[in-house]
Structures are given as C-alpha cells and as structure tokens.
Amino acid sequence: MAEFHAKSNDVVQIRRDLNRSFPDCPFFFENAPGQIMLERLLISLCKYDPSIGYVQGMNFVAGALLYHCSEEIAFWLFVSLIEDHEMREIYMPGSLVPHV
C-alpha cells in the first residue's frame, strides 16, 4: 500500500501560518479545535494534490470553510474549488495569476 506524505517544507509553512490564520477568532486560537482541524485539512490537501502543495492564502480559504462545516466537507469543498472551479491556477507555481 502506498503512503502519502506532505512535503516537509509544506508542513513547516503550514505550521508557521496556523497562528496567523484568523488570530482574533477563538475557534482558531492556538491548539483550539479549529486550528487543529485546519492543520489536518491543509496537510491533507498537500497529500491529495502534491503538484500544488501548500501556498500561503490557502489557510484562509480552508479556515472559512471549516468555520461553517465539518472537516470532511471542508476538505471536499476545497478540492472542488481547485478541481471544478478553476482555482488550481491561483495556487500553481509559475502561475500568471499574481500571488500575494
């Protein structure tokens, strides 16, 4: 059985960005349930589509989804945004879409 791992630099960047994600919202405070779910969701996205990995800004999209639905639904909604609604180009390296 194949194992899927997120790239270590993606995990480092995700962990760096966690405390920057919705810093005034108790749901996402350090070690709060929302922050723990956000970390899992972002790492899962990196494993699901390693060609994109993690890009700054994904944390806010994923966090907004998590705030309004379960972790599993938030994951699949984010996947749908990438695969079905042309957000892939926003996150791809070398994209013509400006990265902020």
mmCIF file with all atom_site columns, all heavy atoms in Angstrom, residues 14 17 21-22 38 41-42 45-46 49 52-65 78 82 87 90-92:
data_model
loop_
_atom_site.group_PDB
_atom_site.id
_atom_site.type_symbol
_atom_site.label_atom_id
_atom_site.label_alt_id
_atom_site.label_comp_id
_atom_site.label_asym_id
_atom_site.label_entity_id
_atom_site.label_seq_id
_atom_site.pdbx_PDB_ins_code
_atom_site.Cartn_x
_atom_site.Cartn_y
_atom_site.Cartn_z
_atom_site.occupancy
_atom_site.B_iso_or_equiv
_atom_site.pdbx_formal_charge
_atom_site.auth_seq_id
_atom_site.auth_comp_id
_atom_site.auth_asym_id
_atom_site.auth_atom_id
_atom_site.pdbx_PDB_model_num
ATOM 1   N N   . ILE A 1 14 ? 2.852   25.499 6.715   1.00 0.00 ? 14 ILE A N   1
ATOM 2   C CA  . ILE A 1 14 ? 1.507   25.394 7.294   1.00 0.00 ? 14 ILE A CA  1
ATOM 3   C C   . ILE A 1 14 ? 1.565   25.704 8.786   1.00 0.00 ? 14 ILE A C   1
ATOM 4   O O   . ILE A 1 14 ? 0.782   26.521 9.291   1.00 0.00 ? 14 ILE A O   1
ATOM 5   C CB  . ILE A 1 14 ? 0.908   23.987 7.055   1.00 0.00 ? 14 ILE A CB  1
ATOM 6   C CG1 . ILE A 1 14 ? 0.533   23.814 5.581   1.00 0.00 ? 14 ILE A CG1 1
ATOM 7   C CG2 . ILE A 1 14 ? -0.300  23.744 7.965   1.00 0.00 ? 14 ILE A CG2 1
ATOM 8   C CD1 . ILE A 1 14 ? 0.224   22.384 5.180   1.00 0.00 ? 14 ILE A CD1 1
ATOM 9   N N   . ASP A 1 17 ? 2.005   29.306 9.513   1.00 0.00 ? 17 ASP A N   1
ATOM 10  C CA  . ASP A 1 17 ? 0.842   30.142 9.212   1.00 0.00 ? 17 ASP A CA  1
ATOM 11  C C   . ASP A 1 17 ? -0.356  29.902 10.128  1.00 0.00 ? 17 ASP A C   1
ATOM 12  O O   . ASP A 1 17 ? -1.285  30.708 10.137  1.00 0.00 ? 17 ASP A O   1
ATOM 13  C CB  . ASP A 1 17 ? 0.397   29.928 7.764   1.00 0.00 ? 17 ASP A CB  1
ATOM 14  C CG  . ASP A 1 17 ? 1.331   30.593 6.765   1.00 0.00 ? 17 ASP A CG  1
ATOM 15  O OD1 . ASP A 1 17 ? 2.159   31.429 7.189   1.00 0.00 ? 17 ASP A OD1 1
ATOM 16  O OD2 . ASP A 1 17 ? 1.217   30.301 5.563   1.00 0.00 ? 17 ASP A OD2 1
ATOM 17  N N   . SER A 1 21 ? -3.691  32.590 11.088  1.00 0.00 ? 21 SER A N   1
ATOM 18  C CA  . SER A 1 21 ? -4.994  32.323 10.482  1.00 0.00 ? 21 SER A CA  1
ATOM 19  C C   . SER A 1 21 ? -6.101  32.702 11.449  1.00 0.00 ? 21 SER A C   1
ATOM 20  O O   . SER A 1 21 ? -6.285  32.049 12.471  1.00 0.00 ? 21 SER A O   1
ATOM 21  C CB  . SER A 1 21 ? -5.123  30.835 10.123  1.00 0.00 ? 21 SER A CB  1
ATOM 22  O OG  . SER A 1 21 ? -4.040  30.433 9.313   1.00 0.00 ? 21 SER A OG  1
ATOM 23  N N   . PHE A 1 22 ? -6.808  33.754 11.138  1.00 0.00 ? 22 PHE A N   1
ATOM 24  C CA  . PHE A 1 22 ? -7.926  34.224 11.970  1.00 0.00 ? 22 PHE A CA  1
ATOM 25  C C   . PHE A 1 22 ? -7.486  34.399 13.431  1.00 0.00 ? 22 PHE A C   1
ATOM 26  O O   . PHE A 1 22 ? -8.061  33.795 14.338  1.00 0.00 ? 22 PHE A O   1
ATOM 27  C CB  . PHE A 1 22 ? -9.110  33.260 11.862  1.00 0.00 ? 22 PHE A CB  1
ATOM 28  C CG  . PHE A 1 22 ? -9.546  33.005 10.448  1.00 0.00 ? 22 PHE A CG  1
ATOM 29  C CD1 . PHE A 1 22 ? -9.153  31.859 9.772   1.00 0.00 ? 22 PHE A CD1 1
ATOM 30  C CD2 . PHE A 1 22 ? -10.344 33.917 9.780   1.00 0.00 ? 22 PHE A CD2 1
ATOM 31  C CE1 . PHE A 1 22 ? -9.545  31.626 8.459   1.00 0.00 ? 22 PHE A CE1 1
ATOM 32  C CE2 . PHE A 1 22 ? -10.747 33.691 8.466   1.00 0.00 ? 22 PHE A CE2 1
ATOM 33  C CZ  . PHE A 1 22 ? -10.342 32.550 7.808   1.00 0.00 ? 22 PHE A CZ  1
ATOM 34  N N   . LEU A 1 38 ? -7.688  22.733 11.012  1.00 0.00 ? 38 LEU A N   1
ATOM 35  C CA  . LEU A 1 38 ? -7.102  23.466 9.888   1.00 0.00 ? 38 LEU A CA  1
ATOM 36  C C   . LEU A 1 38 ? -5.761  22.860 9.491   1.00 0.00 ? 38 LEU A C   1
ATOM 37  O O   . LEU A 1 38 ? -5.486  22.672 8.307   1.00 0.00 ? 38 LEU A O   1
ATOM 38  C CB  . LEU A 1 38 ? -6.947  24.944 10.258  1.00 0.00 ? 38 LEU A CB  1
ATOM 39  C CG  . LEU A 1 38 ? -6.369  25.851 9.174   1.00 0.00 ? 38 LEU A CG  1
ATOM 40  C CD1 . LEU A 1 38 ? -7.219  25.831 7.910   1.00 0.00 ? 38 LEU A CD1 1
ATOM 41  C CD2 . LEU A 1 38 ? -6.234  27.282 9.709   1.00 0.00 ? 38 LEU A CD2 1
ATOM 42  N N   . LEU A 1 41 ? -6.457  19.582 7.712   1.00 0.00 ? 41 LEU A N   1
ATOM 43  C CA  . LEU A 1 41 ? -7.055  19.806 6.399   1.00 0.00 ? 41 LEU A CA  1
ATOM 44  C C   . LEU A 1 41 ? -5.995  20.269 5.395   1.00 0.00 ? 41 LEU A C   1
ATOM 45  O O   . LEU A 1 41 ? -5.924  19.754 4.277   1.00 0.00 ? 41 LEU A O   1
ATOM 46  C CB  . LEU A 1 41 ? -8.177  20.845 6.504   1.00 0.00 ? 41 LEU A CB  1
ATOM 47  C CG  . LEU A 1 41 ? -9.015  21.004 5.252   1.00 0.00 ? 41 LEU A CG  1
ATOM 48  C CD1 . LEU A 1 41 ? -10.466 21.247 5.627   1.00 0.00 ? 41 LEU A CD1 1
ATOM 49  C CD2 . LEU A 1 41 ? -8.531  22.150 4.407   1.00 0.00 ? 41 LEU A CD2 1
ATOM 50  N N   . LEU A 1 42 ? -5.145  21.219 5.788   1.00 0.00 ? 42 LEU A N   1
ATOM 51  C CA  . LEU A 1 42 ? -4.121  21.721 4.871   1.00 0.00 ? 42 LEU A CA  1
ATOM 52  C C   . LEU A 1 42 ? -3.093  20.651 4.523   1.00 0.00 ? 42 LEU A C   1
ATOM 53  O O   . LEU A 1 42 ? -2.683  20.529 3.364   1.00 0.00 ? 42 LEU A O   1
ATOM 54  C CB  . LEU A 1 42 ? -3.448  22.959 5.474   1.00 0.00 ? 42 LEU A CB  1
ATOM 55  C CG  . LEU A 1 42 ? -4.347  24.192 5.585   1.00 0.00 ? 42 LEU A CG  1
ATOM 56  C CD1 . LEU A 1 42 ? -3.668  25.267 6.422   1.00 0.00 ? 42 LEU A CD1 1
ATOM 57  C CD2 . LEU A 1 42 ? -4.752  24.722 4.221   1.00 0.00 ? 42 LEU A CD2 1
ATOM 58  N N   . LEU A 1 45 ? -4.708  18.326 2.089   1.00 0.00 ? 45 LEU A N   1
ATOM 59  C CA  . LEU A 1 45 ? -4.745  18.898 0.737   1.00 0.00 ? 45 LEU A CA  1
ATOM 60  C C   . LEU A 1 45 ? -3.399  18.731 0.036   1.00 0.00 ? 45 LEU A C   1
ATOM 61  O O   . LEU A 1 45 ? -3.346  18.435 -1.160  1.00 0.00 ? 45 LEU A O   1
ATOM 62  C CB  . LEU A 1 45 ? -5.132  20.373 0.786   1.00 0.00 ? 45 LEU A CB  1
ATOM 63  C CG  . LEU A 1 45 ? -6.589  20.660 1.102   1.00 0.00 ? 45 LEU A CG  1
ATOM 64  C CD1 . LEU A 1 45 ? -6.778  22.126 1.465   1.00 0.00 ? 45 LEU A CD1 1
ATOM 65  C CD2 . LEU A 1 45 ? -7.483  20.274 -0.066  1.00 0.00 ? 45 LEU A CD2 1
ATOM 66  N N   . CYS A 1 46 ? -2.300  18.903 0.782   1.00 0.00 ? 46 CYS A N   1
ATOM 67  C CA  . CYS A 1 46 ? -0.964  18.702 0.209   1.00 0.00 ? 46 CYS A CA  1
ATOM 68  C C   . CYS A 1 46 ? -0.753  17.264 -0.229  1.00 0.00 ? 46 CYS A C   1
ATOM 69  O O   . CYS A 1 46 ? -0.122  17.004 -1.249  1.00 0.00 ? 46 CYS A O   1
ATOM 70  C CB  . CYS A 1 46 ? 0.114   19.085 1.225   1.00 0.00 ? 46 CYS A CB  1
ATOM 71  S SG  . CYS A 1 46 ? 0.198   20.831 1.563   1.00 0.00 ? 46 CYS A SG  1
ATOM 72  N N   . ASP A 1 49 ? -3.038  16.603 -3.430  1.00 0.00 ? 49 ASP A N   1
ATOM 73  C CA  . ASP A 1 49 ? -2.544  17.182 -4.686  1.00 0.00 ? 49 ASP A CA  1
ATOM 74  C C   . ASP A 1 49 ? -1.145  17.751 -4.479  1.00 0.00 ? 49 ASP A C   1
ATOM 75  O O   . ASP A 1 49 ? -0.966  18.957 -4.297  1.00 0.00 ? 49 ASP A O   1
ATOM 76  C CB  . ASP A 1 49 ? -3.493  18.274 -5.177  1.00 0.00 ? 49 ASP A CB  1
ATOM 77  C CG  . ASP A 1 49 ? -3.210  18.675 -6.610  1.00 0.00 ? 49 ASP A CG  1
ATOM 78  O OD1 . ASP A 1 49 ? -2.080  18.446 -7.097  1.00 0.00 ? 49 ASP A OD1 1
ATOM 79  O OD2 . ASP A 1 49 ? -4.119  19.215 -7.253  1.00 0.00 ? 49 ASP A OD2 1
ATOM 80  N N   . ILE A 1 52 ? 0.418   20.931 -6.232  1.00 0.00 ? 52 ILE A N   1
ATOM 81  C CA  . ILE A 1 52 ? 0.167   22.273 -5.707  1.00 0.00 ? 52 ILE A CA  1
ATOM 82  C C   . ILE A 1 52 ? 0.884   22.446 -4.377  1.00 0.00 ? 52 ILE A C   1
ATOM 83  O O   . ILE A 1 52 ? 1.545   23.443 -4.153  1.00 0.00 ? 52 ILE A O   1
ATOM 84  C CB  . ILE A 1 52 ? -1.347  22.533 -5.513  1.00 0.00 ? 52 ILE A CB  1
ATOM 85  C CG1 . ILE A 1 52 ? -2.055  22.535 -6.860  1.00 0.00 ? 52 ILE A CG1 1
ATOM 86  C CG2 . ILE A 1 52 ? -1.565  23.857 -4.795  1.00 0.00 ? 52 ILE A CG2 1
ATOM 87  C CD1 . ILE A 1 52 ? -3.566  22.671 -6.753  1.00 0.00 ? 52 ILE A CD1 1
ATOM 88  N N   . GLY A 1 53 ? 0.767   21.466 -3.502  1.00 0.00 ? 53 GLY A N   1
ATOM 89  C CA  . GLY A 1 53 ? 1.351   21.598 -2.172  1.00 0.00 ? 53 GLY A CA  1
ATOM 90  C C   . GLY A 1 53 ? 0.597   22.644 -1.372  1.00 0.00 ? 53 GLY A C   1
ATOM 91  O O   . GLY A 1 53 ? -0.616  22.791 -1.507  1.00 0.00 ? 53 GLY A O   1
ATOM 92  N N   . TYR A 1 54 ? 1.333   23.406 -0.564  1.00 0.00 ? 54 TYR A N   1
ATOM 93  C CA  . TYR A 1 54 ? 0.723   24.462 0.238   1.00 0.00 ? 54 TYR A CA  1
ATOM 94  C C   . TYR A 1 54 ? 1.191   25.817 -0.274  1.00 0.00 ? 54 TYR A C   1
ATOM 95  O O   . TYR A 1 54 ? 2.376   26.019 -0.528  1.00 0.00 ? 54 TYR A O   1
ATOM 96  C CB  . TYR A 1 54 ? 1.106   24.329 1.708   1.00 0.00 ? 54 TYR A CB  1
ATOM 97  C CG  . TYR A 1 54 ? 0.589   25.476 2.540   1.00 0.00 ? 54 TYR A CG  1
ATOM 98  C CD1 . TYR A 1 54 ? -0.764  25.587 2.829   1.00 0.00 ? 54 TYR A CD1 1
ATOM 99  C CD2 . TYR A 1 54 ? 1.436   26.478 3.001   1.00 0.00 ? 54 TYR A CD2 1
ATOM 100 C CE1 . TYR A 1 54 ? -1.266  26.650 3.568   1.00 0.00 ? 54 TYR A CE1 1
ATOM 101 C CE2 . TYR A 1 54 ? 0.953   27.539 3.747   1.00 0.00 ? 54 TYR A CE2 1
ATOM 102 C CZ  . TYR A 1 54 ? -0.399  27.618 4.023   1.00 0.00 ? 54 TYR A CZ  1
ATOM 103 O OH  . TYR A 1 54 ? -0.883  28.686 4.744   1.00 0.00 ? 54 TYR A OH  1
ATOM 104 N N   . VAL A 1 55 ? 0.252   26.716 -0.418  1.00 0.00 ? 55 VAL A N   1
ATOM 105 C CA  . VAL A 1 55 ? 0.546   28.090 -0.822  1.00 0.00 ? 55 VAL A CA  1
ATOM 106 C C   . VAL A 1 55 ? -0.116  28.999 0.197   1.00 0.00 ? 55 VAL A C   1
ATOM 107 O O   . VAL A 1 55 ? -1.274  28.766 0.589   1.00 0.00 ? 55 VAL A O   1
ATOM 108 C CB  . VAL A 1 55 ? -0.007  28.385 -2.237  1.00 0.00 ? 55 VAL A CB  1
ATOM 109 C CG1 . VAL A 1 55 ? 0.247   29.819 -2.638  1.00 0.00 ? 55 VAL A CG1 1
ATOM 110 C CG2 . VAL A 1 55 ? 0.588   27.426 -3.256  1.00 0.00 ? 55 VAL A CG2 1
ATOM 111 N N   . GLN A 1 56 ? 0.613   30.038 0.634   1.00 0.00 ? 56 GLN A N   1
ATOM 112 C CA  . GLN A 1 56 ? 0.022   30.973 1.582   1.00 0.00 ? 56 GLN A CA  1
ATOM 113 C C   . GLN A 1 56 ? -1.281  31.510 1.022   1.00 0.00 ? 56 GLN A C   1
ATOM 114 O O   . GLN A 1 56 ? -1.385  31.811 -0.162  1.00 0.00 ? 56 GLN A O   1
ATOM 115 C CB  . GLN A 1 56 ? 0.977   32.118 1.883   1.00 0.00 ? 56 GLN A CB  1
ATOM 116 C CG  . GLN A 1 56 ? 2.101   31.712 2.802   1.00 0.00 ? 56 GLN A CG  1
ATOM 117 C CD  . GLN A 1 56 ? 2.986   32.884 3.167   1.00 0.00 ? 56 GLN A CD  1
ATOM 118 O OE1 . GLN A 1 56 ? 3.313   33.700 2.335   1.00 0.00 ? 56 GLN A OE1 1
ATOM 119 N NE2 . GLN A 1 56 ? 3.369   32.930 4.431   1.00 0.00 ? 56 GLN A NE2 1
ATOM 120 N N   . GLY A 1 57 ? -2.256  31.611 1.868   1.00 0.00 ? 57 GLY A N   1
ATOM 121 C CA  . GLY A 1 57 ? -3.586  32.048 1.460   1.00 0.00 ? 57 GLY A CA  1
ATOM 122 C C   . GLY A 1 57 ? -4.578  30.902 1.484   1.00 0.00 ? 57 GLY A C   1
ATOM 123 O O   . GLY A 1 57 ? -5.766  31.116 1.679   1.00 0.00 ? 57 GLY A O   1
ATOM 124 N N   . MET A 1 58 ? -4.068  29.682 1.275   1.00 0.00 ? 58 MET A N   1
ATOM 125 C CA  . MET A 1 58 ? -4.952  28.517 1.360   1.00 0.00 ? 58 MET A CA  1
ATOM 126 C C   . MET A 1 58 ? -5.557  28.412 2.757   1.00 0.00 ? 58 MET A C   1
ATOM 127 O O   . MET A 1 58 ? -6.694  27.959 2.908   1.00 0.00 ? 58 MET A O   1
ATOM 128 C CB  . MET A 1 58 ? -4.189  27.221 1.058   1.00 0.00 ? 58 MET A CB  1
ATOM 129 C CG  . MET A 1 58 ? -3.785  27.042 -0.359  1.00 0.00 ? 58 MET A CG  1
ATOM 130 S SD  . MET A 1 58 ? -2.807  25.527 -0.498  1.00 0.00 ? 58 MET A SD  1
ATOM 131 C CE  . MET A 1 58 ? -3.554  24.807 -1.933  1.00 0.00 ? 58 MET A CE  1
ATOM 132 N N   . ASN A 1 59 ? -4.793  28.837 3.762   1.00 0.00 ? 59 ASN A N   1
ATOM 133 C CA  . ASN A 1 59 ? -5.251  28.734 5.146   1.00 0.00 ? 59 ASN A CA  1
ATOM 134 C C   . ASN A 1 59 ? -6.536  29.532 5.370   1.00 0.00 ? 59 ASN A C   1
ATOM 135 O O   . ASN A 1 59 ? -7.411  29.103 6.117   1.00 0.00 ? 59 ASN A O   1
ATOM 136 C CB  . ASN A 1 59 ? -4.162  29.164 6.128   1.00 0.00 ? 59 ASN A CB  1
ATOM 137 C CG  . ASN A 1 59 ? -3.597  30.545 5.846   1.00 0.00 ? 59 ASN A CG  1
ATOM 138 O OD1 . ASN A 1 59 ? -3.466  30.959 4.691   1.00 0.00 ? 59 ASN A OD1 1
ATOM 139 N ND2 . ASN A 1 59 ? -3.220  31.254 6.880   1.00 0.00 ? 59 ASN A ND2 1
ATOM 140 N N   . PHE A 1 60 ? -6.683  30.672 4.709   1.00 0.00 ? 60 PHE A N   1
ATOM 141 C CA  . PHE A 1 60 ? -7.879  31.484 4.913   1.00 0.00 ? 60 PHE A CA  1
ATOM 142 C C   . PHE A 1 60 ? -9.096  30.901 4.202   1.00 0.00 ? 60 PHE A C   1
ATOM 143 O O   . PHE A 1 60 ? -10.204 30.936 4.733   1.00 0.00 ? 60 PHE A O   1
ATOM 144 C CB  . PHE A 1 60 ? -7.627  32.932 4.500   1.00 0.00 ? 60 PHE A CB  1
ATOM 145 C CG  . PHE A 1 60 ? -6.699  33.627 5.445   1.00 0.00 ? 60 PHE A CG  1
ATOM 146 C CD1 . PHE A 1 60 ? -5.383  33.872 5.095   1.00 0.00 ? 60 PHE A CD1 1
ATOM 147 C CD2 . PHE A 1 60 ? -7.129  34.009 6.709   1.00 0.00 ? 60 PHE A CD2 1
ATOM 148 C CE1 . PHE A 1 60 ? -4.518  34.493 5.974   1.00 0.00 ? 60 PHE A CE1 1
ATOM 149 C CE2 . PHE A 1 60 ? -6.273  34.628 7.604   1.00 0.00 ? 60 PHE A CE2 1
ATOM 150 C CZ  . PHE A 1 60 ? -4.962  34.872 7.236   1.00 0.00 ? 60 PHE A CZ  1
ATOM 151 N N   . VAL A 1 61 ? -8.892  30.343 3.031   1.00 0.00 ? 61 VAL A N   1
ATOM 152 C CA  . VAL A 1 61 ? -10.000 29.692 2.323   1.00 0.00 ? 61 VAL A CA  1
ATOM 153 C C   . VAL A 1 61 ? -10.442 28.460 3.116   1.00 0.00 ? 61 VAL A C   1
ATOM 154 O O   . VAL A 1 61 ? -11.631 28.276 3.393   1.00 0.00 ? 61 VAL A O   1
ATOM 155 C CB  . VAL A 1 61 ? -9.596  29.306 0.884   1.00 0.00 ? 61 VAL A CB  1
ATOM 156 C CG1 . VAL A 1 61 ? -10.704 28.522 0.197   1.00 0.00 ? 61 VAL A CG1 1
ATOM 157 C CG2 . VAL A 1 61 ? -9.240  30.550 0.069   1.00 0.00 ? 61 VAL A CG2 1
ATOM 158 N N   . ALA A 1 62 ? -9.466  27.624 3.493   1.00 0.00 ? 62 ALA A N   1
ATOM 159 C CA  . ALA A 1 62 ? -9.787  26.408 4.251   1.00 0.00 ? 62 ALA A CA  1
ATOM 160 C C   . ALA A 1 62 ? -10.411 26.755 5.602   1.00 0.00 ? 62 ALA A C   1
ATOM 161 O O   . ALA A 1 62 ? -11.367 26.105 6.034   1.00 0.00 ? 62 ALA A O   1
ATOM 162 C CB  . ALA A 1 62 ? -8.522  25.569 4.445   1.00 0.00 ? 62 ALA A CB  1
ATOM 163 N N   . GLY A 1 63 ? -9.898  27.775 6.269   1.00 0.00 ? 63 GLY A N   1
ATOM 164 C CA  . GLY A 1 63 ? -10.437 28.172 7.563   1.00 0.00 ? 63 GLY A CA  1
ATOM 165 C C   . GLY A 1 63 ? -11.872 28.652 7.468   1.00 0.00 ? 63 GLY A C   1
ATOM 166 O O   . GLY A 1 63 ? -12.704 28.329 8.321   1.00 0.00 ? 63 GLY A O   1
ATOM 167 N N   . ALA A 1 64 ? -12.171 29.428 6.422   1.00 0.00 ? 64 ALA A N   1
ATOM 168 C CA  . ALA A 1 64 ? -13.549 29.893 6.241   1.00 0.00 ? 64 ALA A CA  1
ATOM 169 C C   . ALA A 1 64 ? -14.487 28.717 6.025   1.00 0.00 ? 64 ALA A C   1
ATOM 170 O O   . ALA A 1 64 ? -15.600 28.687 6.571   1.00 0.00 ? 64 ALA A O   1
ATOM 171 C CB  . ALA A 1 64 ? -13.621 30.864 5.061   1.00 0.00 ? 64 ALA A CB  1
ATOM 172 N N   . LEU A 1 65 ? -14.054 27.737 5.267   1.00 0.00 ? 65 LEU A N   1
ATOM 173 C CA  . LEU A 1 65 ? -14.875 26.545 5.055   1.00 0.00 ? 65 LEU A CA  1
ATOM 174 C C   . LEU A 1 65 ? -15.055 25.774 6.365   1.00 0.00 ? 65 LEU A C   1
ATOM 175 O O   . LEU A 1 65 ? -16.168 25.348 6.689   1.00 0.00 ? 65 LEU A O   1
ATOM 176 C CB  . LEU A 1 65 ? -14.248 25.647 3.982   1.00 0.00 ? 65 LEU A CB  1
ATOM 177 C CG  . LEU A 1 65 ? -14.188 26.231 2.570   1.00 0.00 ? 65 LEU A CG  1
ATOM 178 C CD1 . LEU A 1 65 ? -13.343 25.339 1.656   1.00 0.00 ? 65 LEU A CD1 1
ATOM 179 C CD2 . LEU A 1 65 ? -15.573 26.439 2.003   1.00 0.00 ? 65 LEU A CD2 1
ATOM 180 N N   . PHE A 1 78 ? -13.004 22.331 -0.671  1.00 0.00 ? 78 PHE A N   1
ATOM 181 C CA  . PHE A 1 78 ? -11.758 22.932 -1.161  1.00 0.00 ? 78 PHE A CA  1
ATOM 182 C C   . PHE A 1 78 ? -11.268 22.194 -2.404  1.00 0.00 ? 78 PHE A C   1
ATOM 183 O O   . PHE A 1 78 ? -10.851 22.824 -3.380  1.00 0.00 ? 78 PHE A O   1
ATOM 184 C CB  . PHE A 1 78 ? -10.688 22.928 -0.064  1.00 0.00 ? 78 PHE A CB  1
ATOM 185 C CG  . PHE A 1 78 ? -9.616  23.952 -0.276  1.00 0.00 ? 78 PHE A CG  1
ATOM 186 C CD1 . PHE A 1 78 ? -9.544  25.058 0.536   1.00 0.00 ? 78 PHE A CD1 1
ATOM 187 C CD2 . PHE A 1 78 ? -8.672  23.821 -1.284  1.00 0.00 ? 78 PHE A CD2 1
ATOM 188 C CE1 . PHE A 1 78 ? -8.564  26.022 0.351   1.00 0.00 ? 78 PHE A CE1 1
ATOM 189 C CE2 . PHE A 1 78 ? -7.686  24.766 -1.481  1.00 0.00 ? 78 PHE A CE2 1
ATOM 190 C CZ  . PHE A 1 78 ? -7.626  25.868 -0.659  1.00 0.00 ? 78 PHE A CZ  1
ATOM 191 N N   . ILE A 1 82 ? -10.673 23.719 -6.263  1.00 0.00 ? 82 ILE A N   1
ATOM 192 C CA  . ILE A 1 82 ? -9.452  23.546 -7.056  1.00 0.00 ? 82 ILE A CA  1
ATOM 193 C C   . ILE A 1 82 ? -9.747  22.828 -8.374  1.00 0.00 ? 82 ILE A C   1
ATOM 194 O O   . ILE A 1 82 ? -9.304  23.254 -9.436  1.00 0.00 ? 82 ILE A O   1
ATOM 195 C CB  . ILE A 1 82 ? -8.391  22.773 -6.248  1.00 0.00 ? 82 ILE A CB  1
ATOM 196 C CG1 . ILE A 1 82 ? -7.867  23.654 -5.109  1.00 0.00 ? 82 ILE A CG1 1
ATOM 197 C CG2 . ILE A 1 82 ? -7.243  22.325 -7.140  1.00 0.00 ? 82 ILE A CG2 1
ATOM 198 C CD1 . ILE A 1 82 ? -6.995  22.922 -4.120  1.00 0.00 ? 82 ILE A CD1 1
ATOM 199 N N   . MET A 1 87 ? -9.692  27.209 -9.499  1.00 0.00 ? 87 MET A N   1
ATOM 200 C CA  . MET A 1 87 ? -8.777  27.806 -8.527  1.00 0.00 ? 87 MET A CA  1
ATOM 201 C C   . MET A 1 87 ? -7.384  27.191 -8.583  1.00 0.00 ? 87 MET A C   1
ATOM 202 O O   . MET A 1 87 ? -6.462  27.715 -7.973  1.00 0.00 ? 87 MET A O   1
ATOM 203 C CB  . MET A 1 87 ? -9.347  27.714 -7.112  1.00 0.00 ? 87 MET A CB  1
ATOM 204 C CG  . MET A 1 87 ? -10.430 28.731 -6.860  1.00 0.00 ? 87 MET A CG  1
ATOM 205 S SD  . MET A 1 87 ? -10.968 28.794 -5.151  1.00 0.00 ? 87 MET A SD  1
ATOM 206 C CE  . MET A 1 87 ? -9.507  29.380 -4.323  1.00 0.00 ? 87 MET A CE  1
ATOM 207 N N   . ILE A 1 90 ? -4.610  29.553 -9.496  1.00 0.00 ? 90 ILE A N   1
ATOM 208 C CA  . ILE A 1 90 ? -4.212  30.516 -8.470  1.00 0.00 ? 90 ILE A CA  1
ATOM 209 C C   . ILE A 1 90 ? -3.052  29.970 -7.644  1.00 0.00 ? 90 ILE A C   1
ATOM 210 O O   . ILE A 1 90 ? -2.150  30.717 -7.263  1.00 0.00 ? 90 ILE A O   1
ATOM 211 C CB  . ILE A 1 90 ? -5.411  30.839 -7.542  1.00 0.00 ? 90 ILE A CB  1
ATOM 212 C CG1 . ILE A 1 90 ? -6.489  31.582 -8.317  1.00 0.00 ? 90 ILE A CG1 1
ATOM 213 C CG2 . ILE A 1 90 ? -4.966  31.638 -6.318  1.00 0.00 ? 90 ILE A CG2 1
ATOM 214 C CD1 . ILE A 1 90 ? -7.781  31.741 -7.556  1.00 0.00 ? 90 ILE A CD1 1
ATOM 215 N N   . TYR A 1 91 ? -3.050  28.677 -7.406  1.00 0.00 ? 91 TYR A N   1
ATOM 216 C CA  . TYR A 1 91 ? -2.078  28.071 -6.493  1.00 0.00 ? 91 TYR A CA  1
ATOM 217 C C   . TYR A 1 91 ? -0.889  27.401 -7.176  1.00 0.00 ? 91 TYR A C   1
ATOM 218 O O   . TYR A 1 91 ? 0.048   27.012 -6.487  1.00 0.00 ? 91 TYR A O   1
ATOM 219 C CB  . TYR A 1 91 ? -2.793  27.061 -5.594  1.00 0.00 ? 91 TYR A CB  1
ATOM 220 C CG  . TYR A 1 91 ? -3.825  27.693 -4.689  1.00 0.00 ? 91 TYR A CG  1
ATOM 221 C CD1 . TYR A 1 91 ? -5.152  27.321 -4.769  1.00 0.00 ? 91 TYR A CD1 1
ATOM 222 C CD2 . TYR A 1 91 ? -3.466  28.655 -3.770  1.00 0.00 ? 91 TYR A CD2 1
ATOM 223 C CE1 . TYR A 1 91 ? -6.105  27.896 -3.944  1.00 0.00 ? 91 TYR A CE1 1
ATOM 224 C CE2 . TYR A 1 91 ? -4.405  29.240 -2.946  1.00 0.00 ? 91 TYR A CE2 1
ATOM 225 C CZ  . TYR A 1 91 ? -5.723  28.862 -3.035  1.00 0.00 ? 91 TYR A CZ  1
ATOM 226 O OH  . TYR A 1 91 ? -6.654  29.435 -2.222  1.00 0.00 ? 91 TYR A OH  1
ATOM 227 N N   . MET A 1 92 ? -0.910  27.283 -8.481  1.00 0.00 ? 92 MET A N   1
ATOM 228 C CA  . MET A 1 92 ? 0.179   26.579 -9.167  1.00 0.00 ? 92 MET A CA  1
ATOM 229 C C   . MET A 1 92 ? 1.428   27.451 -9.251  1.00 0.00 ? 92 MET A C   1
ATOM 230 O O   . MET A 1 92 ? 1.346   28.640 -9.542  1.00 0.00 ? 92 MET A O   1
ATOM 231 C CB  . MET A 1 92 ? -0.247  26.186 -10.581 1.00 0.00 ? 92 MET A CB  1
ATOM 232 C CG  . MET A 1 92 ? -1.275  25.081 -10.641 1.00 0.00 ? 92 MET A CG  1
ATOM 233 S SD  . MET A 1 92 ? -0.755  23.531 -9.886  1.00 0.00 ? 92 MET A SD  1
ATOM 234 C CE  . MET A 1 92 ? 0.565   23.048 -10.962 1.00 0.00 ? 92 MET A CE  1
#
